Amino acid sequence: QLAALADDLPPAVIKTGLLGSAANARVVTRWVDRLRTRAPLALVIDPVLRASTGAGFVDEALMRVYREELLPRASVVTPNQREAVLLLGHEGSSGVVPMAGTLRALGAQAVVVTGGDAATPDLSHDWLDTPHARGWLTLPRVDTPHHHGTGCTFASSLAAALALGFVVADAAVLAKMATTHALRHARAVGRGAGPVVAREGFGNDPSLLPRLSPGAQAPAEWTAHRRGRKPGVYAIVDSAERVESVLRATPTVDTIQLRMKRPPGLDDAQWQTRLQESIARSQGAADAAGVTLVINDHWRAALQAGARALHLGQEDLLALSPADHAALQAAREAGMQLGLSSHSLWELCRAASLQPDLIACGPVWATTTKDMPWLPQGLDNLAWWAHMAPAPVVGIGGILEPAQLRAVAAAGAAGGCLVRGLGEDPAQTLPAWHSAWAEGGSCADRPRVPTLPHPMLPGATMSAQR
């Protein structure tokens, strides 16, 4: 049967379940090796080691095969916390985060330690440790006694997402959504815990979008943040002179971002002085025009210069220390607005965890403004982002013609970014951009929100395998 399937329907992903014996497990490893000589293949290890009653399914021989043969071949392993302890034996008492690191050291390319069995009262935390992202993936816990099949549903959903081309970090987001949705539809069947019921509809339900912590501290509560203002026609420029040029146009933009790069030849002190002067000058021009000024990345200089809105990329977000987070939080409590970039599902979830006032989705179309690995989001993903995100979404990347901005507005975005599209003289180009934005916002024929987004990285299927 395995040979017939391999010849006729070669798999993109194999997910293991209850293996039963060391001999069975070795059959799996042989077939994985054989199939990988023909084509890329991901292996999802769902280590079914013990029944919910406590009965064990694994002897020492099978446990050795897990550790020495299956884990080194695994694209991702999805134990719950008790299973992670069993897999690691005496090393499994150090906590979830170190356990995931140890499992990766044993050869698994990615690990998701699911936390549905952990004693957290209101939230369900899964620890994600992958080549692209690490952090706690969190949703409110579903209060139901019927949870049979939760782990299998999670691992199977993750495997299906890998087969669709998502990298593990994004596949885990979709698996978290699918499993929580299945728990919401769980029901009693006979005595004891009933089964979860996987159903369609999880992929575009905003209440199922998890949050991903930027660090190793799990969130203690689930709070909602009021939605920020709509940024509208959003210009991105690289100098105070350009800020003033854009703001002289009639009509001018609704929002303008100053994105300065350090020129060669300036030492740290000279660069900080130039930043401070440019930010202060730009803030004065924006205040006079009644336009929101956003400072990109240079948040310390922005706070010192009196700026009132920031935008951070994901790399800058991850570089923040606990003290930096505290400083930004204090600034936000004092009224500072915060925008965050996102290019993938895990980045959207990480942005959501900080409850920003704006989330950027990009690149909508291919762009040469920045060198990035991401596939174009297209209008379908943009519509999905706008529907799912807990903050207003601005589309960015490759918007060069007014018709494109019209389509961005029609997709449900709260703003559209113009960089090269502003042209040499914004006074000449902005009237057409404003007309396009207004037309798109009033468009009755809006695109349908897709049931799932499409993958955001090229060649994602099996990009990480042995």
Side-chain angles (χ1 to χ4, degrees), residues 40 45 131 139 209 212 219 330 349 353 366 385 458 466:
I45 300 295
L139 273 172
L209 185 77
L212 179 65
C349 294
S353 73
W385 243 252
R466 303 287 173 180

Side-chain angles (χ1 to χ4, degrees), residues 378-384 386-387 406-413 440 443-450:
L379 295 172
D380 56 335
N381 272 16
L382 179 62
W384 190 90
H387 176 72
R406 181 186 184 280
V408 166
C443 178
D445 186 22
R446 294 184 178 272
R448 181 180 62 87
V449 176

Side-chain angles (χ1 to χ4, degrees), residues 58-315:
V58 181
D59 58 19
E60 185 52 40
L62 178 52
M63 191 65 79
R64 190 161 52 249
V65 175
Y66 264 107
R67 294 171 184 152
E68 298 176 4
E69 301 183 43
L70 286 170
L71 286 177
R73 291 172 169 82
S75 303
V76 57
V77 57
T78 63
N80 61 34
Q81 294 183 26
R82 289 174 296 177
E83 290 164 342
V85 170
L86 289 172
L87 276 174
L88 295 174
H90 69 280
E91 298 180 53
S93 59
S94 56
V96 171
V97 176
M99 282 196 296
T102 303
L103 288 169
R104 289 198 69 185
L106 289 174
Q109 294 185 350
V111 177
V112 185
V113 182
T114 59
D117 61 334
T120 48
D122 300 316
L123 300 178
S124 172
H125 303 299
D126 303 330
W127 176 253
L128 185 69
D129 189 342
T130 78
H132 290 102
R134 297 173 76 247
W136 291 101
L137 204 56
T138 300
L139 273 172
R141 185 178 295 278
V142 178
D143 185 15
T144 176
H146 306 302
H147 46 70
H148 187 70
T150 306
C152 182
T153 298
F154 183 91
S156 299
S157 300
L158 192 153
L162 289 177
L164 288 173
F166 293 92
V167 296
V168 172
D170 281 347
V173 170
L174 293 172
K176 180 80 168 178
M177 295 171 65
T179 305
T180 304
H181 194 247
L183 279 161
R184 290 181 182 178
H185 294 90
R187 63 173 184 261
V189 176
R191 292 179 293 179
V196 301
V197 181
R199 296 178 58 174
E200 74 283 355
F202 72 89
N204 55 14
D205 182 343
S207 72
L208 289 169
L209 185 77
R211 297 174 183 173
L212 179 65
S213 68
Q217 182 65 43
E221 58 183 354
W222 187 273
T223 57
H225 179 62
R226 63 175 180 80
R227 293 182 70 87
R229 58 177 286 277
K230 293 184 177 183
V233 179
Y234 189 139
I236 299 178
V237 299
D238 60 2
S239 68
E241 293 79 10
R242 184 70 165 165
V243 168
E244 292 170 341
S245 173
V246 170
L247 295 180
R248 283 195 294 267
T250 304
T252 190
V253 295
D254 303 297
T255 307
I256 190 163
Q257 181 186 124
L258 178 62
R259 185 166 71 186
M260 291 180 65
K261 295 183 179 180
R262 180 172 177 167
L266 292 186
D267 61 27
D268 288 344
Q270 292 170 325
W271 171 233
Q272 289 302 316
T273 299
R274 179 174 295 188
L275 267 179
Q276 295 278 335
E277 292 173 348
S278 297
I279 293 170
R281 178 177 169 182
S282 299
Q283 189 67 63
D287 289 346
V291 171
T292 298
L293 173 72
V294 180
I295 306 302
N296 182 270
D297 291 349
H298 306 294
W299 64 273
R300 292 184 186 88
L303 294 182
Q304 293 170 4
R308 293 184 288 279
L310 301 172
H311 189 91
L312 294 178
Q314 293 274 331
E315 298 84 358

Side-chain angles (χ1 to χ4, degrees), residues 337-413:
Q337 297 178 41
L338 177 65
L340 295 172
S341 296
S342 67
H343 309 86
S344 61
L345 300 187
W346 85 78
E347 287 194 347
L348 174 60
C349 294
R350 186 187 285 145
S353 73
L354 275 80
Q355 301 183 57
D357 300 282
L358 178 146
I359 295 175
C361 172
V364 182
W365 288 280
T367 177
T368 59
T369 303
K370 294 179 70 175
D371 184 19
M372 296 185 292
W374 311 100
L375 293 169
Q377 299 278 9
L379 295 172
D380 56 335
N381 272 16
L382 179 62
W384 190 90
W385 243 252
H387 176 72
M388 296 291 289
V393 167
V394 58
I396 184 171
I399 303 174
L400 302 176
E401 301 291 339
Q404 292 173 296
L405 188 64
R406 181 186 184 280
V408 166

